[in-house]
């Protein structure tokens, strides 16, 4: 009875403490929400500017810059009409980038996850040394490897081929590291249970590991997709034919000493944002979950 009375006497005090703390939490939440809203609005300013720019004359934008103070009478759909009727190779470049992005992201996720799965789930000679090499590769910028790779491409006569754009990036060090950290958090007992049930090693990976690691695959798919879609330097070095150009290279060719197609450049740059925005919106839930889990495991 004495204990029960003591607990009853403490309840009002605890309730008062909770009531005193709640307004502070609400104020903190409001401040945080306002801060994030301001950051979001600032981030959307460039997108809003380029949307307005798609309705303006390209030469006028280059002379005066993009401004939100525009006369509605000066806005028109001429750039959109030109894009879908007289844009030359634009949609060919768009298609090239789309196919290369899908193929390279799928290949990178497959190869890198295989490598990471080996580092995380198996014990073999040279495992630690191999992982150290992966970490070292993460610190080496691609610009240092670009010249030797370019020499090899010319030596083998592989220039102007799509597969040479994809091949050097299938085993991505950052992607391997991320998958390895994620796979470490998966209990090995699941693998043993699969082996007891007679599942092959590939079956264990695709039927057990991949469903568990969907957030990791989504996160790495979005990050690799953005990098591949915006990749400019390596495709510029190895692709020679105009009809094989990717979208970043093709848009860059619109600026020449003999004439500049600013209208197509502006509206083409705007439409180049659409696939990345759709990719992120489709997988944002998995992206956040995968990045959070990957940062806590290992």
């Amino acid at each position: 009875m004495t204990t029960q009375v003591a607990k009853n006497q403490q309840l009002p005090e605890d309730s008062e403490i909770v009531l005193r703390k709640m307004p502070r939490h609400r104020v903190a939440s409001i401040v945080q929400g306002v801060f994030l809203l301001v950051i979001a609005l600032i981030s959307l300013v460039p997108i809003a500017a380029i949307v307005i720019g798609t309705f303006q004359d390209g030469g006028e934008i280059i002379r005066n810059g993009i401004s939100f103070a525009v006369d509605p009478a000066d806005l028109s759909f001429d750039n959109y009409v030109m894009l879908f009727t007289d844009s030359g190779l634009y949609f060919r470049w768009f298609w090239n980038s789309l196919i290369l992005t899908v193929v390279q992201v799928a290949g990178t996720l497959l190869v890198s996850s295989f490598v990471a799965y080996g580092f995380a789930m198996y014990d073999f000679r040279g495992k630690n040394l191999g992982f150290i090499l992966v970490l070292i590769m993460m610190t080496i910028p691609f610009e240092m490897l670009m010249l030797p790779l370019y020499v090899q491409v010319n030596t083998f006569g592989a220039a102007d081929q799509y597969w040479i754009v994809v091949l050097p990036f299938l085993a991505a060090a950052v992607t391997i590291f991320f998958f390895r950290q994620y796979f470490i958090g998966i209990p090995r007992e699941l693998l043993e249970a699969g082996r007891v049930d007679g599942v092959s090693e590939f079956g264990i990976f695709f039927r057990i590991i991949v469903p568990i690691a969907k957030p990791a695959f989504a996160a790495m798919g979005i990050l690799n997709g953005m990098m591949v879609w915006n990749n400019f330097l390596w495709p510029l070095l190895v692709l020679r034919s105009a009809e094989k150009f990717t979208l970043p290279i093709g848009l860059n060719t619109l600026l020449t000493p003999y004439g500049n197609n600013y209208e197509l450049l502006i509206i083409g740059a705007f439409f180049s944002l659409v696939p990345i925005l759709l990719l992120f919106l489709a997988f944002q839930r998995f992206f956040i979950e995968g990045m959070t889990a990957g940062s806590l495991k290992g």
Side-chain angles (χ1 to χ4, degrees):
M1 291 293 295
T2 305
T3 305
Q4 185 67 28
V5 172
K7 289 184 177 180
N8 293 334
Q9 291 176 350
Q10 290 178 358
L11 284 177
E13 297 179 1
D14 295 339
S15 301
E16 291 177 4
I17 293 175
V18 172
L19 291 174
R20 286 199 300 267
K21 287 185 177 180
M22 284 183 62
R24 296 181 182 178
H25 290 301
R26 289 178 181 176
V27 171
S29 299
I30 293 174
V31 172
Q32 183 181 13
V34 172
F35 175 75
L36 294 176
L37 178 62
V38 171
I39 296 298
L41 292 176
I42 293 174
S43 302
L44 290 175
V45 167
I47 298 178
I50 195 172
V51 170
I52 295 176
T54 60
F55 296 97
Q56 297 178 276
D57 178 76
E60 188 68 22
I61 293 176
I62 297 301
R63 286 191 295 269
N64 302 323
I66 296 179
S67 174
F68 291 99
V70 295
D71 186 356
D74 296 333
L75 304 180
S76 68
F77 288 93
D78 293 343
N79 294 340
Y80 288 86
V81 174
M82 180 267 299
L83 176 68
F84 291 101
T85 59
D86 188 26
S87 59
L89 294 174
Y90 176 82
F91 286 103
R92 179 64 179 271
W93 300 333
F94 193 98
W95 180 252
N96 293 342
S97 288
L98 188 62
I99 295 298
L100 279 175
T101 300
V102 172
V103 171
Q104 186 168 333
V105 169
T108 301
L109 294 182
L110 182 64
V111 174
S112 299
S113 62
F114 275 169
V115 177
Y117 179 70
F119 281 128
M121 297 300 185
Y122 295 99
D123 295 319
F124 52 89
R125 182 179 298 177
K127 172 182 174 179
N128 293 332
L129 176 61
F131 187 66
I132 290 174
L133 292 177
V134 171
L135 297 179
I136 292 175
M137 289 298 299
M138 291 176 59
T139 66
I140 301 177
F142 174 72
E143 287 75 12
M144 294 183 62
L145 305 174
M146 183 174 57
L147 182 58
L149 282 175
Y150 181 72
V151 172
Q152 289 182 347
V153 168
N154 287 332
T155 302
F156 297 140
D160 207 25
Q161 302 292 329
Y162 286 136
W163 65 268
I164 202 62
V165 178
V166 176
L167 186 62
F169 305 98
L170 291 182
V174 175
T175 308
I176 293 173
F177 176 79
F178 183 88
F179 275 126
R180 186 255 185 187
Q181 297 303 104
Y182 196 96
F183 291 156
I184 285 178
I186 299 177
R188 293 196 179 190
E189 288 77 9
L190 293 176
L191 280 66
E192 297 300 330
R195 295 188 182 107
V196 171
D197 291 339
V199 183
S200 65
E201 295 298 319
F202 284 101
I204 291 173
F205 180 80
F206 287 107
R207 295 168 60 182
I208 299 178
I209 301 300
V210 171
I212 295 175
K214 280 183 179 179
F217 279 92
M220 287 296 98
I222 292 175
L223 292 179
N224 281 280
M226 290 190 296
M227 289 188 293
V228 175
W229 181 262
N230 296 317
N231 192 13
F232 175 77
L233 190 55
W234 180 243
L236 177 65
L237 290 176
V238 298
L239 296 179
R240 311 287 171 79
S241 304
E243 63 273 8
K244 291 185 177 181
F245 285 168
T246 58
L247 191 56
I249 303 174
L251 291 176
N252 189 67
T253 61
L254 299 177
L255 301 176
T256 68
Y258 309 103
N260 300 313
N261 193 342
Y262 295 123
E263 288 81 5
L264 181 58
L265 177 64
I266 293 171
I267 195 170
F270 169 70
F271 272 88
S272 69
L273 300 175
V274 174
I276 297 301
L277 291 177
L278 294 178
L279 179 66
F280 182 78
L281 292 176
F283 297 102
Q284 61 176 331
R285 179 172 63 88
F286 295 107
F287 175 78
I288 297 172
E289 182 181 349
M291 293 302 294
T292 304
S295 63
L296 297 177
K297 294 182 182 295

